[in-house]
Amino acid sequence: MSELGKNGEMITGKRKPVQINAFALLFFVVVVAMILTFILPAGEYNRVEVDGRTIVEADSFKWIESSPVYPFDMFKALHKGMVEAGGIIFFVLIIGGFFGVLKATGTIDVLIATMARKLQKREKLLIPIMMLFFAAGGSLMGMAEEGLAYIPLLIPLALALGFDTITGMAIVLLGAAAGFTTAVMNPFTVGIAQGIAELPLFSGIGLRLVLFVVVYLVSVIFVYRYAMKVKKNPELGFYGNYDKSAADKLLKSNVRLTTKHKLILGAFLLTYVVLAYGVIKFEWYLSEIAALFIILTIVVGIFGKLSIDNLVQNFMSGSAALITGALIIGVSRATLVVLSQGHIVDPMLHGVSEAIKHVPGTISVIGMYGFQTLIHFILASGSGHAMLTMPIMTPLADLLDITRQTAVLSFSFADGIGNIIFPTAGTLMAGLAIAGIPWTKWARWVLPLVIIQFVIGLIAVIVAHAINYGPF
């Protein structure tokens, strides 16, 4: 589910935190948008509906009378942004509530402990199997902050098997990020971006599955090679706040997967089968998926033998954990409200399209990918990033003859890769704090993988453009 509910925290070599408040940053962006409505001329394109989606008529741009947005209207835009993004905001809160109930049953914790014991004497399988678990969570559920709870479990396990703290941290973070980046069915990134682009939900899944395999394998090889070096020469490792004795509690745990846990896992897997069928066959979107997760929440509560009061309380707690990220979505939308009211979005699109209309499409799509990477450094929230950029990238893609699906792919890759290195990524910084790893040390270690993944993403968007990755 993308950095929802976290503000970035930068940690220097002396671990002196510098807070980067997402709301303050977004409000600054809204203020800048308001100022631009006084500076930039207003204009608009004609928009027509073709095959159920709204597209821009490329030759229809015209200048119109300026309509600047005044400060009081800017503050009104904050509320309007919340209202316009209401469907997505409440969808996020429902998913958060489900995770709260799932967590209360202890199923995931028991599953992790069980797998740890089974892999105790087969340490070479630990990295690929556990990273696949977290990658699936990142790709199907948008697992991000949820993974933080498992860092204290995986680090002791990694230490017990002869690895180090960085290995344990990487299994969780890089595993989840591999899935989050390729976003096979991530409702918080691809789901939101495709909704804005008016694409069928989770369409184009074939290429994303291929990319999932590629990015997962690259990440596993990167972590595996490092872990084996540490196992051979422990002095090469970094151990942070942990020591090997901390692994005993996990490996000697007596918890077992009971019938209750197996039923919950079965219901969870069945839900994703139904979800995939509904999306493909009946073109389900947010309301249907939200309804499915509400049903799953009730089923999990029953199988988990939670009382009604306990189920509701844990649902509310899970929703509350994502309220910050949900509100970020609304504030991000306010920027578009201000730009739209000032009629300066279309002049921006017109200026960019005129400037690069004679540039080969491949160069344009590379530029789009680079722009999304830059934006993610500033706004390290997957859903907020989508809400801020896709309303502009969608018509720009139309004007540049780039498919909307390619525009979504450039967003999802740029968004996911930044999560493993940018100091503005709240989940990364929280994980490093838990593990006791300085950001500078982590950044140096992970940089080669970031470069490799960035190149994979670059090749992916170029190929997507070449094959007219669609349906449109």
Side-chain angles (χ1 to χ4, degrees):
M1 187 177 3
S2 149
E3 300 79 46
L4 291 172
K6 302 289 182 185
N7 291 329
E9 181 180 273
M10 187 181 299
I11 298 179
T12 68
K14 296 181 179 179
R15 298 187 187 180
K16 186 177 181 180
V18 177
Q19 297 295 331
I20 303 173
N21 188 283
F23 286 106
L25 180 62
L26 285 171
F27 182 73
F28 174 76
V29 173
V30 174
V31 172
V32 171
M34 179 195 70
I35 294 172
L36 288 176
T37 65
F38 287 88
I39 299 172
L40 299 180
E44 63 183 13
Y45 282 103
N46 291 332
R47 286 169 168 77
V48 296
E49 194 163 306
V50 177
D51 297 328
R53 68 183 188 276
T54 304
I55 66 171
V56 173
E57 288 188 322
D59 299 323
S60 65
F61 181 79
K62 60 181 182 291
W63 298 104
I64 62 174
E65 184 179 351
S66 179
S67 53
V69 175
Y70 291 91
F72 188 68
D73 292 320
M74 179 197 71
F75 284 102
K76 287 168 57 179
L78 294 171
H79 173 260
K80 289 182 179 179
M82 298 286 181
V83 172
E84 291 185 9
I88 296 173
I89 289 172
F90 283 104
F91 173 74
V92 167
L93 295 179
I94 288 170
I95 298 295
F98 160 72
F99 279 119
V101 173
L102 180 64
K103 183 178 179 181
T105 66
T107 301
I108 301 299
D109 292 342
V110 173
L111 179 63
I112 291 285
T114 301
M115 294 176 69
R117 286 195 305 272
K118 291 184 179 297
L119 294 172
Q120 183 176 2
K121 295 182 179 179
R122 289 176 282 183
E123 67 273 12
K124 291 185 178 180
L125 296 177
L126 172 74
I127 293 170
I129 291 178
M130 295 306 298
M131 287 187 70
L132 180 60
F133 171 81
F134 289 108
S139 201
L140 300 177
M141 304 182 296
M143 177 184 283
E145 291 93 338
E146 296 79 13
L148 295 175
Y150 304 109
I151 291 175
L153 295 176
L154 265 295
I155 289 177
L157 176 60
L159 293 174
L161 299 179
F163 308 135
D164 69 344
T165 298
I166 288 179
T167 303
M169 170 78 173
I171 289 172
V172 178
L173 185 72
L174 299 188
F180 203 92
T181 300
T182 50
V184 174
M185 294 179 68
N186 185 342
F188 299 104
T189 55
V190 161
I192 292 175
Q194 287 183 332
I196 295 170
E198 299 180 304
L199 285 159
L201 191 62
F202 302 134
S203 56
I205 196 171
L207 179 58
R208 293 199 302 278
L209 278 170
V210 172
L211 291 171
F212 173 87
V213 173
V214 172
V215 174
Y216 162 74
L217 289 175
V218 167
S219 300
V220 167
I221 292 170
F222 182 81
V223 177
Y224 185 87
R225 289 183 62 191
Y226 171 78
M228 291 302 122
K229 289 179 182 178
V230 171
K231 188 173 180 64
K232 185 176 181 180
N233 298 295
E235 65 275 8
L236 297 177
F238 180 84
Y239 300 93
N241 297 334
Y242 290 81
D243 58 61
K244 294 187 178 183
S245 63
D248 294 340
K249 183 178 178 181
L250 177 66
L251 297 176
K252 294 179 180 179
S253 171
N254 293 322
V255 295
R256 295 286 188 275
L257 280 172
T258 64
T259 300
K260 175 186 78 172
H261 300 131
K262 292 175 182 177
L263 287 173
I264 290 171
L265 290 172
F268 184 79
L269 294 174
L270 179 61
T271 296
Y272 269 93
V273 173
V274 174
L275 171 60
Y277 181 78
V279 166
I280 295 170
K281 182 71 175 179
F282 302 110
E283 298 183 353
W284 283 1
Y285 191 48
L286 295 182
S287 293
E288 292 82 4
I289 297 174
L292 194 62
F293 272 93
I294 292 172
I295 294 170
L296 178 60
T297 300
I298 296 171
V299 171
V300 167
I302 293 172
F303 288 162
K305 299 179 181 179
L306 300 179
S307 67
I308 294 176
D309 184 64
N310 199 3
L311 186 149
V312 172
Q313 289 298 325
N314 281 288
F315 185 90
M316 298 297 288
S317 296
S319 296
L322 296 187
I323 191 67
T324 300
L327 291 176
I328 283 175
I329 295 171
V331 179
S332 298
R333 184 73 180 189
T335 301
L336 180 65
V337 172
V338 170
L339 294 175
S340 297
Q341 289 180 347
H343 294 95
I344 62 174
V345 174
D346 286 2
M348 291 177 180
L349 295 175
H350 178 67
V352 172
S353 62
E354 285 295 305
I356 64 176
K357 66 181 180 181
H358 299 302
V359 172
T362 300
I363 303 299
S364 298
V365 80
I366 291 173
M368 182 177 287
Y369 180 48
F371 172 77
Q372 291 286 21
T373 302
L374 176 63
I375 289 296
H376 188 69
F377 179 83
I378 299 170
L379 179 59
S381 165
S383 49
H385 182 178
M387 293 294 294
L388 183 66
T389 63
M390 288 311 299
I392 298 174
M393 290 295 105
T394 298
L396 181 60
D398 291 340
L399 292 171
L400 298 177
D401 200 27
I402 296 170
T403 66
R404 295 184 177 189
Q405 196 74 271
T406 301
V408 171
L409 182 66
S410 69
F411 150 73
S412 66
F413 247 90
D415 174 77
I417 293 172
N419 290 336
I420 64 176
I421 192 168
F422 287 163
T424 49
T427 301
L428 167 63
M429 301 310 290
L432 293 177
I434 292 170
I437 303 172
W439 176 78
T440 51
K441 184 171 187 63
W442 172 267
R444 287 195 299 270
W445 178 79
V446 83
L447 182 60
L449 178 63
V450 171
I451 294 172
I452 293 170
Q453 290 191 2
F454 184 84
V455 172
I456 292 172
L458 189 63
I459 294 171
V461 296
I462 291 173
V463 170
H465 177 64
I467 65 174
N468 287 316
Y469 181 41
F472 51 81

